[in-house]
Amino acid sequence: MAANRGEQEALLTPAEVASMFRVDPKTVTRWAKGGKLSSIRTLGGHRRYKQSEVEKLLENSGMMIPEDQLPFYKGESED
């Protein structure tokens, strides 16, 4: 099995996901534990979430956030 050496998908922290849904980061963790959202664990044991999956969940929830209000990871720099 060959490893994918192409561009890797952006991973979001619980705080970034929480800000997109306007909920507490603990709520995002509960969603992951409940199977609503899958997570990836870092070597340090922290949860990370695939940006594409989070955006799909956001769309399906009907809570679209205007692009100018999205966090910096949408291509903007944090200057």
Side-chain angles (χ1 to χ4, degrees):
M1 181 185 332
N4 184 0
R5 302 261 186 237
E7 187 175 321
Q8 293 183 359
E9 182 171 4
L11 297 177
L12 308 176
T13 66
E16 290 171 329
V17 176
S19 71
M20 293 173 75
F21 284 93
R22 299 194 175 142
V23 297
D24 190 87
K26 295 281 186 188
T27 301
V28 177
T29 300
R30 281 194 297 274
W31 291 347
K33 288 180 180 179
K36 185 174 183 178
L37 187 62
S38 63
S39 65
I40 297 168
R41 293 287 187 132
T42 65
L43 292 176
H46 300 279
R47 292 181 191 268
R48 295 295 181 263
Y49 304 91
K50 290 183 180 179
Q51 182 175 345
S52 62
E53 185 177 347
V54 171
E55 289 175 349
K56 183 181 278 187
L57 183 62
L58 191 61
E59 281 181 35
N60 292 338
S61 73
M63 296 178 57
M64 292 305 298
I65 298 174
E67 275 197 42
D68 64 330
Q69 294 179 13
L70 288 174
F72 70 90
Y73 60 82
K74 287 297 285 183
E76 300 174 16
S77 62
E78 190 179 16
D79 292 330

